[in-house]
Amino acid sequence: MNITIHYTFLPHTDPDASLAFYRDTLGFEVRNDVGYEDMRWITVGPKGQPDTSIVLTPPAADPGITEEERRVIAELMAKGSYGALTLATDDLDGLFDRLQGSGAEVVQEPTEQPYGVRDCAFRDPAGNLLRINETR
């Protein structure tokens, strides 16, 4: 049996800003862009890896969520404590320079971690934490 991660979801607060970040800065391709009423879901993923995607989704779009839960989610997103994703690259310094040059919020510069990973961290336009590991 082979199991892969096919989709993961990250919330956005501004779909155009998130699209610019993931498409123009990270270089991901857009696989789907769906609107419904005043909401928008955008599926992006790394070029050449069609089986791995991120769905940028309106936060708290589930109609079963209460207004109080929506408020809590918005507060957690504003603090950068709601969504997170770890990416990997064979050029950590180059990607760090590109993201930093785009104006993305740097959380951590490239660092050799005591647990054997060299990584850096950014926040996307919605506040989601993106850790980026260097592949070796």
Side-chain angles (χ1 to χ4, degrees):
M1 177 187 308
N2 186 21
I3 298 175
T4 61
I5 297 175
H6 193 56
Y7 289 99
T8 190
F9 294 81
L10 287 176
H12 67 69
T13 53
D14 178 338
D16 291 327
S18 290
L19 179 60
F21 179 81
Y22 285 93
R23 181 192 59 205
D24 303 337
T25 304
L26 282 176
F28 285 2
E29 63 186 12
V30 177
R31 297 184 178 149
N32 208 352
D33 191 339
V34 177
Y36 176 74
E37 296 181 348
D38 61 345
M39 296 181 282
R40 190 168 164 200
W41 288 259
I42 305 167
T43 304
V44 296
K47 293 177 181 170
Q49 298 176 43
D51 293 334
T52 303
S53 298
I54 302 168
V55 181
L56 304 168
T57 182
D62 184 335
I65 294 177
T66 68
E67 285 305 313
E68 175 62 14
E69 291 166 331
R70 282 187 175 81
R71 185 191 61 75
V72 170
I73 289 170
E75 287 178 4
L76 289 171
M77 287 179 67
K79 292 171 56 178
S81 302
Y82 188 69
L85 180 68
T86 299
L87 304 173
T89 180
D90 61 355
D91 182 10
L92 185 65
D93 295 315
L95 184 54
F96 178 84
D97 290 345
R98 184 168 27 150
L99 287 165
Q100 185 178 41
S102 76
E105 180 184 347
V106 177
V107 176
Q108 175 207 299
E109 294 191 4
T111 303
E112 193 71 43
Q113 300 291 352
Y115 43 87
V117 172
R118 184 168 184 264
D119 67 357
C120 66
F122 287 86
R123 293 207 191 283
D124 76 3
N128 298 304
L129 179 65
L130 297 182
R131 297 202 72 81
I132 303 168
N133 291 353
E134 182 174 60
T135 56
R136 297 178 181 185

